[in-house]
Amino acid sequence: MNEADRRSDEARRRLEFLSVEETATLGERGVLLPDPGSVLVSPHVRLEEDVVLWPNVILQASSESRIAIGRGTNLFPGTRIVSSGGAVTIGTGAEIGEEGGFTIKAGPGDTIAIGNGARLLGSGSLTLSNWVGRGAQILGSIRCQNCTLGDGGTYRESDPDERGGVLKGSGVARGIEVPQGHVIQAFGLFSEAVMRRQSYFHPKG
């Protein structure tokens, strides 16, 4: 090991992350890491098979916290998930962080649950407690706090009114609830925007 690698691993240990070699060995458990040297993972994070960690992903959990990520979930570059006394659970086949990364932070007592097939993109964030249902989507630079998005089909579902709840646009969403088949589009405060059926934006053929 050269001096630069030794210093890198020492910094990782001090910050309570796996060494580069330990990170690379996640691949032996079925995790897909094209560039282990650019990824930071805490020892307490639980990753199922076929999770994809693209470069510049950070998964940081203290010993009294929980981060669990389900099979086949894609974490795109710039995604940061932090749990400091809270819990973050992500189901199977989710897509998080495409088009600019995504930030998820659970503090003491917070619970953030993201369902199977959910899609979060466009440099948004989840803080405090949030429930993002199966197939639900957050599309854009949206700061979500204490939001609930209902279960439904994924964005591939042919009937838009059967898809999970959606927030799209940019701004701040606090205490927002979006049921299945509905969407709120806003550029500012989501509490002031109109909720519509998803077929309003995607007319049924």
Side-chain angles (χ1 to χ4, degrees):
M1 179 184 294
N2 62 36
E3 183 63 16
D5 290 341
R6 188 193 66 77
R7 289 181 178 178
S8 173
D9 276 351
E10 176 60 25
R12 284 170 175 256
R13 278 190 290 271
R14 291 182 63 181
L15 294 169
E16 300 184 350
F17 290 111
L18 299 175
S19 68
V20 174
E21 182 178 355
E22 290 168 335
T23 303
T25 60
L26 293 173
E28 298 175 5
R29 307 204 318 251
V31 178
L32 304 177
L33 302 98
D35 185 9
S38 72
V39 173
L40 297 174
V41 181
S42 295
H44 309 289
V45 173
R46 291 178 48 197
L47 302 168
E48 295 187 5
E49 282 189 294
D50 297 327
V51 168
V52 183
L53 304 182
W54 290 101
N56 302 317
V57 166
I58 299 174
L59 305 177
Q60 184 175 8
S62 58
S63 58
E64 70 278 10
S65 305
R66 173 180 170 84
I67 295 177
I69 300 174
R71 186 184 184 103
T73 283
N74 254 285
L75 302 182
F76 289 94
T79 296
R80 180 178 180 228
I81 302 175
V82 179
S83 182
S84 53
V88 178
T89 58
I90 301 174
T92 62
E95 301 176 24
I96 299 177
E98 196 171 16
E99 300 181 13
F102 208 90
T103 299
I104 300 169
K105 297 177 69 175
D110 293 336
T111 298
I112 296 176
I114 298 169
N116 299 344
R119 186 177 180 225
L120 285 61
L121 57 81
S123 71
S125 67
L126 294 172
T127 58
L128 304 179
S129 291
N130 295 269
W131 193 80
V132 179
R134 174 174 46 84
Q137 301 180 76
I138 298 172
L139 309 176
S141 182
I142 304 169
R143 294 169 53 200
C144 298
Q145 302 171 349
N146 295 327
C147 292
T148 300
L149 305 184
D151 283 333
T154 72
Y155 66 94
R156 297 182 179 90
E157 165 63 48
S158 59
D159 184 346
D161 291 339
E162 295 296 323
R163 298 173 187 169
V166 175
L167 295 174
K168 62 188 296 187
S170 62
V172 178
R174 293 191 181 98
I176 300 295
E177 183 171 351
V178 183
Q180 178 183 18
H182 289 76
V183 55
I184 298 177
Q185 181 180 42
F187 299 92
L189 293 177
F190 279 73
S191 59
E192 298 177 352
V194 176
M195 186 185 313
R196 295 184 169 94
R197 301 290 297 185
Q198 290 188 38
S199 53
Y200 176 88
F201 293 96
H202 306 282
K204 301 178 184 180

